[in-house]
Amino acid sequence: MENATLPTLYEYYTSGGIQSGLNADQNYFTLNERNITLYSGAMHYFRTPKQLWRDRLRKMRAAGLNTVETYVAWNLHEPTPGNFDFGEGGTDMEDFLDLETFLKTAQEEDLLAIVRPGPYICAEWEFGGFPSWLLRTEDIKFRTSDAIYMAAVKRFFNALLPILAALQFANGGPIISVQVENEYGSTSSSTFTPEKQYLKELRQIYLDNHITALLTTADGVASFGDAGTDPQLFLVTANFGGDPTTSFDILEQMQPGRPKMAMEYYPGWFDHWGDGHSTGSAVNLLENLVKIIAYPGSFNMYMFHGGTSFGFLNGANVDNDLPNNSGFLPDTTSYDYDAPLTEAGDYTLKYQLVKVLLRTVATPKTKLPDPPALIPRVAYSDVPIEQFMPLKTLIDSQNIKPNHPHPIAMELVDINNGSGQSYGYLTYRKENLNLPAGAILTLTSYVYDSVLVLVNGRQIAPPLKTAADLNSFGFYRLEDSEITLTDSDLTNATIDLVVENWGRVNYGKLSQYYQFKGLWQGDILINGELVLNWQHIPLEFKRSWTQNLAGWQDEDISSSGLYRGYLELEAAPEDTYIDMRAWTKGIVMVNGFVLGRYARIGPQQCLYLPAPFLQQGRNEIVIFEHYEAADSVRFSTDQIWENYDYFKSHKRFHLS
């Protein structure tokens, strides 16, 4: 009964009219001149289908949160220079990109909003949110006051920031705070000092676009101090996974008497392919939130709902200095993060503990919705594979085949109106080769990031079945790799080297932002002799392209290629997972949309398939399998986190 008599959050903070926004001029926050502690959770609009935004946001509010935080993904909103997509731009991701509707929905669900536009966001997102076409400018200097870089930033921000300005709290919208850059202190190294001038120029772009909300920065202050910020210009916030007291004490030293906030408190963590699934203690989460609130401070749980890095949009880490690629660590498609709300929006123990804590300590008391019922999931019946397209047939069918003397990076291939190739695969083809028996192919330096080798259409690179296989030919860890092409003499042979972009680095020192994809760094040799003049054939797997492919056949075969089956639904679609444990490595597309990557090495074994991606009637499922295929597509009601070495329980195709 008490909840029914309470005001909503917006009623409490806007009754009598709006006089001011979020203020940090004392040791506590005020909003519209009333005290407020921020109980926030991160959710990325670009990682959850638009049709499910309201469900996730309402669940956040029902837990007692009063704020949602999101990054903004530059690479999605400006896919080619000067062409923007904020929900109606015609890209494969356009349904995710209606940022205005997302923020208005948050307000409708009685949540305030913190927006972090970057331009760099990290987020375990492809290239930290940067568009790959920035790499085409030879002299560009990322995350500096370099005029070339800043011109691109300004063009994007001049399109984005007016949308945000109109939705600021002072203008009747939900946005109470905007972050400038992100974790800039982590660029510190022996060769680079973060530029205060860069931060000042970014701030000016925000101001010029009428951003009046509180401007913040966020850093791991326990490691980097104020290297990535300017305490005179911004409210400094902290990122950490434990020990709130140390980070908050440092904030007090930097900005005495100002509010303390954890912009990123980590309740879980993300996953790399080939590693175990990361989990975090629910007890530790509760203990640290209690410490944050008691300090006193505010928090943003990163992530509260992680969602999914659909398509090719997962990022990667690296534990060395590029261009040495041996320390490359690509992230999984799932961004579950072991967060309070799972990838599919389920409640967890962490969620329940947060709800109990905030019900006990949160002030002021405002009206909360009942927690929404869980969205049901179903394991559909197996879908048999009906058609196959050999990888060579797919490559042969392409019309774009520019020739270059030396192999170049996919970003430099002249496609997409001069913006290059961002995602997918790039094939390097050489025809009319005479190969003696025992001919050895050598790829000098490193592969960015994996490569299939076809000789006259037959894929000969060893399959990826265990994490240890990442140390062998075909993958990013091995330098100067070799493989035997043929055991008999071949004349007029064709070699295809199909290279996958497994996700660009999203975090690290400044030098690690110059990561191109493909066979750009070294030479290609056969029996020690340099081979020149390679065709460059992009395989981007855009929706319209995939749905118009021709050349399907009915044979049963287990080699590299595309496999197609149909999910027939007589009733309205429901959420599900596609169980890929019987397959080896590749990507899955549903109705032309790339769900994401799978790999037997785990830990992720299933791909989340939300109901909005399906339709009543026929649904096309296409799988690009790199190595060894299964005979059907299986489904699961839940994600499966396991590392598998080999599967013997499921029927496979047999090589013909």
Side-chain angles (χ1 to χ4, degrees):
M1 291 295 295
E2 177 191 5
N3 190 51
T5 64
L6 292 173
T8 67
L9 185 71
Y10 278 87
E11 286 172 346
Y12 182 87
Y13 283 103
T14 65
S15 62
I18 298 173
Q19 310 301 322
S20 59
L22 188 67
N23 182 282
D25 291 338
Q26 56 286 312
N27 63 3
Y28 52 88
F29 288 116
T30 63
L31 182 64
N32 203 22
E33 301 178 1
R34 298 180 181 182
N35 289 18
I36 186 170
T37 300
L38 301 181
Y39 312 113
S40 178
M43 171 190 168
H44 299 152
Y45 61 94
F46 46 84
R47 280 184 159 124
T48 298
K50 183 177 185 177
Q51 298 88 337
L52 300 176
W53 286 346
R54 190 175 300 277
D55 172 79
R56 306 303 196 257
L57 291 166
R58 186 169 297 177
K59 287 171 178 173
M60 296 173 77
R61 182 66 180 134
L65 301 183
N66 58 17
T67 307
V68 61
E69 175 272 314
T70 185
Y71 281 127
V72 176
W74 182 6
N75 54 0
L76 296 187
H77 289 295
E78 192 178 4
T80 60
N83 296 304
F84 302 102
D85 189 347
F86 289 100
E88 296 180 346
T91 67
D92 285 4
M93 292 291 291
E94 71 173 357
D95 286 348
F96 291 82
L97 301 182
D98 187 356
L99 178 57
E100 180 179 3
T101 294
F102 174 78
L103 292 168
K104 287 181 176 179
T105 304
Q107 184 170 10
E108 291 168 3
E109 294 302 325
D110 208 27
L111 288 163
L112 303 166
I114 297 171
V115 181
R116 302 203 282 167
Y120 160 79
I121 63 172
C122 185
E124 288 70 59
W125 190 249
E126 227 274 349
F127 208 10
F130 286 135
S132 68
W133 46 257
L134 288 170
L135 290 165
R136 293 174 63 87
T137 303
E138 185 174 348
D139 296 325
I140 194 168
K141 296 178 176 61
F142 289 91
R143 304 180 74 182
T144 72
S145 57
D146 167 54
I148 299 173
Y149 168 73
M150 287 301 292
V153 171
K154 188 172 184 178
R155 181 179 61 209
F156 171 56
F157 274 9
N158 285 348
L160 166 69
L161 295 181
I163 297 172
L164 302 184
L167 295 170
Q168 293 175 108
F169 182 84
N171 295 330
I175 299 174
I176 58 172
S177 179
V178 178
Q179 182 177 297
V180 176
E181 242 281 347
N182 185 57
E183 297 180 317
Y184 190 44
S186 65
T187 62
S188 302
S189 70
S190 60
T191 59
F192 182 77
T193 299
E195 289 186 10
K196 305 296 184 179
Q197 179 62 28
Y198 168 52
L199 293 173
K200 290 178 180 178
E201 291 186 18
L202 279 179
R203 175 178 176 271
Q204 192 59 49
I205 296 174
Y206 280 84
L207 297 179
D208 290 345
N209 280 281
H210 309 292
I211 299 298
T212 59
L214 179 68
L215 296 180
T216 67
T217 60
D219 274 298
V221 295
S223 298
F224 303 108
D226 65 358
T229 186
D230 186 336
Q232 302 302 313
L233 299 178
F234 310 104
L235 178 72
V236 183
T237 68
N239 297 348
F240 53 82
D243 189 14
T245 302
T246 294
S247 290
F248 280 0
D249 284 349
I250 293 171
L251 290 181
E252 175 63 19
Q253 293 170 15
M254 286 186 199
Q255 294 180 319
R258 301 199 73 186
K260 311 300 178 287
M261 180 164 184
M263 187 60 76
E264 294 185 8
Y265 169 70
Y266 308 115
W269 204 241
F270 54 89
D271 295 321
H272 294 131
W273 288 111
D275 291 342
H277 174 49
S278 297
T279 58
S281 165
V283 173
N284 287 346
L285 166 62
L286 183 62
E287 290 176 344
N288 285 317
L289 291 182
V290 168
K291 291 178 181 178
I292 289 171
I293 294 169
Y295 189 89
S298 294
F299 63 78
N300 175 54
M301 278 177 280
Y302 186 96
M303 300 292 296
F304 195 86
H305 169 57
T308 310
S309 300
F310 292 110
F312 300 105
L313 291 162
N314 64 278
N317 289 88
V318 63
D319 63 5
N320 56 22
D321 192 32
L322 293 172
N324 178 341
N325 207 34
S326 63
F328 180 67
L329 300 165
D331 299 325
T332 58
T333 291
S334 173
Y335 200 57
D336 178 82
Y337 216 89
D338 195 35
L341 284 176
T342 69
E343 177 181 27
D346 287 355
Y347 302 113
T348 66
L349 174 60
K350 292 179 181 179
Y351 180 95
Q352 303 300 343
L353 291 177
V354 170
K355 189 173 186 293
V356 170
L357 172 65
L358 294 181
R359 186 172 60 199
T360 304
V361 305
T363 56
K365 299 299 181 185
T366 54
K367 184 181 297 185
L368 299 178
D370 293 330
L374 292 179
I375 295 175
R377 291 192 298 278
V378 63
Y380 292 112
S381 299
D382 291 5
V383 169
I385 295 299
E386 298 182 16
Q387 293 175 305
F388 169 67
M389 183 185 300
L391 182 51
K392 183 178 184 299
T393 300
L394 176 64
I395 298 169
D396 288 345
S397 69
Q398 300 309 296
N399 296 321
I400 300 174
K401 301 180 180 181
N403 191 288
H404 295 275
H406 295 273
I408 65 172
M410 66 165 52
E411 296 83 356
L412 302 180
V413 177
D414 193 14
I415 59 173
N416 295 319
N417 296 318
S419 62
Q421 181 179 354
S422 294
Y423 313 115
Y425 303 76
L426 178 61
T427 300
Y428 300 89
R429 168 170 281 190
K430 183 66 178 178
E431 298 174 313
N432 302 316
L433 286 168
N434 295 325
L435 302 175
I440 294 176
L441 172 74
T442 302
L443 304 178
T444 66
S445 192
Y446 293 90
V447 174
Y448 291 79
D449 298 305
S450 68
V451 61
L452 303 174
V453 180
L454 279 67
V455 180
N456 289 337
R458 186 172 70 90
Q459 205 290 113
I460 63 170
L464 179 65
K465 293 185 177 180
T466 71
D469 292 334
L470 291 171
N471 297 314
S472 62
F473 178 89
F475 300 99
Y476 43 82
R477 292 181 183 172
L478 192 61
E479 185 177 17
D480 298 334
S481 52
E482 293 185 345
I483 190 171
T484 301
L485 292 172
T486 175
D487 56 8
S488 61
D489 294 343
L490 296 177
T491 58
N492 295 321
T494 297
I495 294 179
D496 291 309
L497 306 176
V498 185
V499 181
E500 175 191 17
N501 166 9
W502 211 344
R504 294 183 184 87
V505 171
N506 58 260
Y507 179 84
K509 308 301 182 186
L510 204 66
S511 61
Q512 293 165 350
Y513 284 87
Y514 295 86
Q515 189 187 28
F516 296 83
K517 296 299 182 179
L519 300 177
W520 59 272
Q521 198 184 39
D523 293 321
I524 303 173
L525 311 176
I526 295 179
N527 285 341
E529 294 186 7
L530 182 64
V531 182
L532 300 174
N533 298 315
W534 291 83
Q535 296 177 36
H536 291 56
I537 307 172
L539 305 174
E540 297 183 282
F541 288 98
K542 293 180 179 178
R543 189 199 304 263
S544 59
W545 178 87
T546 302
Q547 291 180 319
N548 287 287
L549 289 173
W552 294 97
Q553 58 191 55
D554 298 329
E555 296 137 65
D556 289 353
I557 189 167
S558 181
S559 65
S560 303
L562 304 185
Y563 294 79
R564 183 161 71 176
Y566 297 95
L567 173 64
E568 304 282 354
L569 298 181
E570 297 181 358
E574 296 184 84
D575 282 13
T576 188
Y577 279 90
I578 299 182
D579 181 353
M580 297 304 296
R581 287 177 294 173
W583 298 71
T584 311
K585 185 188 184 314
I587 59 173
V588 177
M589 290 148 280
V590 175
N591 294 326
F593 180 78
V594 179
L595 277 188
R597 310 174 203 268
Y598 65 90
R600 186 183 303 174
I601 61 173
Q604 177 182 352
Q605 296 294 344
C606 299
L607 285 165
Y608 176 46
L609 175 51
F613 293 173
L614 296 169
Q615 59 196 12
Q616 194 167 342
R618 169 168 282 204
N619 294 272
E620 179 191 62
I621 299 177
V622 174
I623 299 172
F624 173 28
E625 169 59 55
H626 294 189
Y627 304 107
E628 298 173 1
D631 63 347
S632 65
V633 180
R634 288 182 166 179
F635 297 88
S636 171
T637 56
D638 297 288
Q639 180 62 268
I640 299 171
W641 301 103
E642 296 173 349
N643 294 75
Y644 276 68
D645 285 346
Y646 197 74
F647 300 94
K648 298 181 180 179
S649 61
H650 190 67
K651 177 187 174 185
R652 294 180 170 276
F653 288 120
H654 297 284
L655 290 172
S656 55

